[in-house]
Amino acid sequence: MRLIVLGCSGSGPGPESPASGYLVEAGTTRLTLDLGNGTLGALQRHADPFSLDAAVFSHLHPDHCSDFPSLVVHRRYHPRPPFDATAHKLAVHAPAGAHTRFARADAVTEADYARTDLTDVFSFHDLVVGEPFTVGAGDDAVTVTAYEVVHVCPAYALRLEHRGRVLTYSGDTAACPGLVEAARDADLLLCEASWPHAEAGPPGVHLSGQEAGEHAAAAGARRLVVTHVPAWFDRESLGAEAKAAFGGTVELARPDAVFEV
C-alpha cells in the first residue's frame, strides 16, 4: 500500500496544509480516509476523483469531512466525466448518519434539504465495529475494519489490510484500548497528536505527542507517522514526544508526503 498525505493540519486547515485527508493506493485500488477542508484540491494532484473505489470517514467533524460537498459537485456536474456516475456510484463508508450530515451540508435551506438526495451518485454504508468490508477486488482488494475510539462524537480508528501489510489510521481519539487493538502489529500507524503532553486539553478528545507514542508502543506497531497537529503547535516537538515514548521509527505527516506500507 501507499499512503499519500492530502492534508494533515489538526482541527482545521493551516497556512501550510489542508485539514485531515489521506489517499491510499493498493495496486489499482484507491480510497480516501477523510476529506477535510482543502483536501479535494490536493487529491487532484495525485489522482482523478473519479478513480476512487471508496471514500471512508473516521468521524463526521468538519475538519475531516467538509470537502465532501465539493466531491458531490465533482461527481454530479463534471462536464466530461469518464463514466456515468449514477451507474457507478461511489461507496461511502462512514459513521451512521453520514447521508443526513452531508445532505445538510449540501443544502442551503430546509426546502432544499427536503429534496436533497445524494444516493444518485453515492452509496452509503454505516461503519460497524468489528465487521470488515472490502474495497477493490482480487489481489488489489483492501480490507477495512473499524474500531471504536474515544472522541466527542462517534469516531473510529480504521485498520487497512492488503497482502499481509497493515496500515492503521487513528482518526481523532483520546487515549483508549480501541486504538491499541486497531494498531496491533501494524506496519504503519498514522496517529493524531493534537497537543504537547504538558499542555493537554480536555479529557476524552485528543492525544498528546507522548500518548501517540505510547499507543504505538503498546500496539507493537513498526512505524509511527504523527499527524493532525494544529497550526498553533510545533510538529517537531510533538514528534519528539512521540519518539521518546515509542522508541521506534517516528515520522511527521506533511502535505503530499508518500509513505510505503
Side-chain angles (χ1 to χ4, degrees):
M1 287 181 284
R2 297 173 75 231
L3 169 67
I4 301 169
V5 179
L6 306 177
C8 54
S9 179
S11 301
E16 298 178 355
S17 175
S20 296
Y22 310 90
L23 172 65
V24 176
E25 297 180 334
T28 60
T29 297
R30 284 177 170 157
L31 64 147
T32 51
L33 303 175
D34 292 343
L35 281 172
N37 325 53
T39 54
L40 185 67
L43 171 64
Q44 293 171 75
R45 292 198 294 270
H46 299 279
D48 182 345
F50 281 104
S51 72
L52 294 176
D53 295 288
V56 186
F57 292 89
S58 65
H59 67 295
L60 300 179
H61 274 156
D63 60 316
H64 291 256
C65 71
S66 64
D67 262 22
F68 188 85
S70 297
L71 184 61
V72 173
V73 172
H74 194 94
R75 289 187 65 83
R76 275 183 171 168
Y77 303 117
H78 195 293
R80 292 179 295 278
F83 51 75
D84 180 357
T86 63
H88 300 277
K89 299 180 181 182
L90 180 65
V92 178
H93 298 270
H99 180 266
T100 299
R101 175 84 161 109
F102 294 149
R104 286 202 172 276
D106 198 56
V108 176
T109 66
E110 284 300 311
D112 192 16
Y113 171 67
R115 54 180 177 265
T116 297
D117 183 0
L118 305 180
T119 61
D120 56 339
V121 292
F122 298 98
S123 62
F124 288 87
H125 310 270
D126 291 349
L127 294 176
V128 179
V129 171
E131 291 191 9
F133 60 89
T134 300
V135 179
D139 288 342
D140 293 340
V142 175
T143 300
V144 184
T145 307
Y147 290 74
E148 188 174 12
V149 292
V150 174
H151 197 43
V152 293
C153 67
Y156 303 89
L158 301 167
R159 182 182 177 94
L160 284 65
E161 300 178 68
H162 171 72
R163 297 184 183 180
R165 306 293 286 180
V166 176
L167 163 65
T168 297
Y169 171 45
S170 69
D172 279 7
T173 182
C176 66
L179 177 57
V180 175
E181 289 307 307
R184 184 73 63 194
D185 298 322
D187 296 287
L188 189 152
L189 170 59
L190 176 66
C191 189
E192 74 120 282
S194 297
W195 43 52
H197 197 69
E199 299 180 46
V205 183
H206 289 298
L207 298 172
S208 67
Q210 177 180 314
E211 289 172 324
E214 290 170 346
H215 282 67
R222 293 173 179 81
R223 294 166 65 197
L224 171 62
V225 175
V226 173
T227 192
H228 197 272
V229 178
W232 47 80
F233 286 125
D234 179 65
R235 285 183 301 184
E236 299 290 341
S237 295
L238 269 63
E241 276 194 11
K243 174 70 173 177
F246 177 43
T249 300
V250 176
E251 298 165 88
L252 297 174
R254 300 181 187 277
D256 300 311
V258 179
F259 299 94
E260 300 290 337
V261 182

